[in-house]
Amino acid sequence: MAGMKMINQADVVLAMGSRMGPFGTLPQYGFDYWPQNAKTIQVDSNHRVLGLVREVEVGILGDVRLTANEMLSRLQEGELACSVNKEERMKQMNQAKEEWEAQLNKECMVEESTMAPKRALRELEKAMPENAMISTDIGNICSVANSYLRFKKPDSFLAAMSFGNCGYAFPVAMGAKMAAPDRPAIAYVGDGAWGISLNETITCVRQNIPVVVCLFNNKQWGAEKKNQIDYYRD
């Protein structure tokens, strides 16, 4: 939410290696955050992606790393207009982050007979090793989990995102563990996705791949249920 509040104030959006798909630009938490009047610069190595989802003022076809290095070298040559209020904007960002963290804490500290899902996510976040690699499946709980994950190392967050491929998290965590055996690999999985991940357990056992699965069981296909309620309530 903090990031959405900040980008909502932008007059220019620089999207590098992002196709700006619907799951990343549509309203969330009841907030239509995408800046409607901002100019957009999009950089991608795939020409089909440029301007595909949203109109752009400048589309750059190229490697993101090379383009970023070239842009940085040119920007360092002069004084940027945005530097004038840099400290003020950083203060606003930090305040927005603090407010969002406070809201997350408030939402997860609710009195129930069993532990609330958001409380479980917060406790998992606190216990997570700093070098952990976490994969999240699709579904309601895994979407909510994004707000309760913090990373300090690259190559740590592996999410299905807009691909929507159910049963993604467990095999991806296995692959991540094979690639980085010195780092813990954890998969966040709902009961629906876990039901179609059982084949991977055979491979996991046979190949001795030590992966941890956090299984959230609400005894339903929650995302599909929510869509049916939202679109076919009547």
Side-chain angles (χ1 to χ4, degrees):
M1 175 62 79
M4 288 187 278
K5 286 183 177 179
M6 292 298 101
I7 197 173
N8 181 253
Q9 303 175 26
D11 49 18
V12 176
V13 175
L14 175 60
M16 309 196 74
S18 169
R19 69 185 185 92
M20 298 183 291
F23 283 101
T25 57
L26 288 177
Q28 297 185 45
Y29 299 99
F31 181 23
D32 189 4
Y33 68 92
W34 189 260
Q36 301 301 321
N37 297 320
K39 295 182 179 179
T40 303
I41 303 170
Q42 185 180 11
V43 183
D44 205 283
S45 59
N46 182 357
H47 70 93
R48 296 177 182 272
V49 171
L50 299 177
L52 176 65
V53 179
R54 288 189 172 271
E55 293 185 5
V56 298
E57 276 66 35
V58 179
I60 301 176
L61 178 63
D63 179 84
V64 168
R65 183 189 296 272
L66 296 177
T67 304
N69 288 336
E70 180 63 24
M71 292 177 68
L72 182 61
S73 65
R74 296 195 181 195
L75 290 173
Q76 289 175 335
E77 296 174 358
E79 186 70 23
L80 300 178
C82 61
S83 299
V84 177
N85 63 345
K86 179 180 178 180
E87 292 185 4
E88 179 184 348
R89 288 185 290 108
M90 290 301 298
K91 186 176 180 180
Q92 291 178 351
M93 290 181 189
N94 290 330
Q95 182 179 348
K97 288 181 180 179
E98 292 174 1
E99 291 174 352
W100 179 232
E101 285 296 326
Q103 182 177 338
L104 291 175
N105 284 330
K106 182 179 179 181
E107 291 179 359
C108 71
M109 298 300 177
V110 295
E111 294 295 333
E112 294 185 2
S113 58
T114 57
M115 181 180 288
K118 290 183 179 180
R119 176 68 182 274
L121 291 171
R122 180 60 99 191
E123 296 303 325
L124 283 168
E125 174 201 340
K126 293 177 182 178
M128 203 62 64
E130 188 174 292
N131 65 337
M133 301 176 292
I134 302 177
S135 61
T136 58
D137 221 285
I138 64 169
N140 291 341
I141 187 63
C142 295
S143 297
V144 175
N146 296 338
S147 296
Y148 293 89
L149 294 172
R150 305 291 181 271
F151 301 103
K152 295 183 179 179
K153 295 182 179 294
D155 303 324
S156 297
F157 185 35
L158 310 166
M161 306 303 285
S162 58
F163 283 107
N165 40 339
C166 192
Y168 161 94
F170 181 40
V172 165
M174 291 165 55
K177 186 64 177 178
M178 294 291 288
D182 58 317
R183 299 177 62 183
I186 299 96
Y188 282 20
V189 187
D191 55 317
W194 182 247
I196 58 175
S197 299
L198 298 181
N199 288 340
E200 280 79 15
T201 59
I202 300 174
T203 302
C204 195
V205 172
R206 285 177 175 174
Q207 301 299 323
N208 191 25
I209 307 173
V211 172
V212 176
V213 174
C214 297
L215 177 59
F216 297 85
N217 183 12
N218 60 0
K219 301 179 181 179
Q220 59 185 263
W221 289 93
E224 283 66 29
K225 179 180 179 179
K226 185 67 166 61
N227 287 336
Q228 289 174 357
I229 292 173
D230 286 345
Y231 295 108
Y232 305 106
R233 185 187 302 270
D234 298 332

